Amino acid sequence: MSSCHLPLYLPLLLTARQSPPDSRCTTLRPIGDATKKAVDFSGLKVPKNGKTVADIVTDSAKLNGKQVVVRAKVVKYNGDIMGKNWLHIRDGSGSAEKGDHDLTVTTATEAKVGDTVLVTGKVSLNKDFGAGYKYTIILEDAQVTVE
């Protein structure tokens, strides 16, 4: 039995870089979260005229405001928050140590953790959605195709 006193929806709002405000709740994880599990990225190919997640994060200053295409796996999914579905995607590029291995995407498309997705979206930097939800880089309102 958990001793957590958080609203039921709060775990859905937590991002990979945030912890629950109550340290007793560290076992709570959003529905559809594979960020701590091994993910098989074999077989993922960079799309024609596309980029890797690490390329997008590393070159974000040059890419700000530009459309990018990336193929990756969904490692975290939170549906219908602020009227959008929120994905964290990874393609095996980059590293957790450098912080260039994960990209947040907002979309109208639904997806599941483990899905391979082709994402086309505009790079936005330093987005602040309030309530402590800040993203140094995000692909907003992206077109997502589940492959």
Side-chain angles (χ1 to χ4, degrees), residues 25-36:
C25 298
T26 56
T27 58
L28 279 179
R29 301 229 333 258
I31 294 171
D33 184 358
T35 57
K36 305 260 186 224

Side-chain angles (χ1 to χ4, degrees), residues 107-144:
T107 182
T109 305
E110 292 183 6
K112 298 185 303 266
V113 169
D115 283 348
T116 298
V117 291
L118 183 65
V119 178
T120 304
K122 187 173 84 171
V123 175
S124 296
L125 301 180
N126 303 314
K127 294 298 286 193
D128 186 349
F129 293 94
Y133 297 98
K134 296 179 183 179
Y135 295 86
T136 54
I137 181 169
I138 189 170
L139 299 185
E140 288 190 277
D141 300 320
Q143 297 297 327
V144 174

Side-chain angles (χ1 to χ4, degrees), residues 44-71:
L44 281 180
K45 294 187 185 334
V46 177
K48 185 178 182 179
N49 299 317
K51 301 201 174 287
T52 66
V53 169
D55 290 339
I56 295 167
V57 174
T58 302
D59 297 334
S60 61
K62 289 189 280 185
L63 295 171
N64 187 27
K66 295 184 177 152
Q67 198 91 321
V68 295
V69 179
V70 60
R71 178 175 285 115

Side-chain angles (χ1 to χ4, degrees), residues 63-123:
L63 295 171
N64 187 27
K66 295 184 177 152
Q67 198 91 321
V68 295
V69 179
V70 60
R71 178 175 285 115
K73 295 260 188 177
V74 177
V75 297
K76 185 173 176 180
Y77 175 84
N78 291 317
D80 198 23
I81 296 174
M82 299 189 318
K84 302 176 183 193
N85 297 320
W86 296 69
L87 315 176
H88 280 258
I89 60 169
R90 296 181 186 170
D91 61 5
S93 64
S95 69
E97 293 77 28
K98 290 182 182 176
D100 61 353
H101 70 300
D102 186 278
L103 190 57
T104 303
V105 177
T106 65
T107 182
T109 305
E110 292 183 6
K112 298 185 303 266
V113 169
D115 283 348
T116 298
V117 291
L118 183 65
V119 178
T120 304
K122 187 173 84 171
V123 175

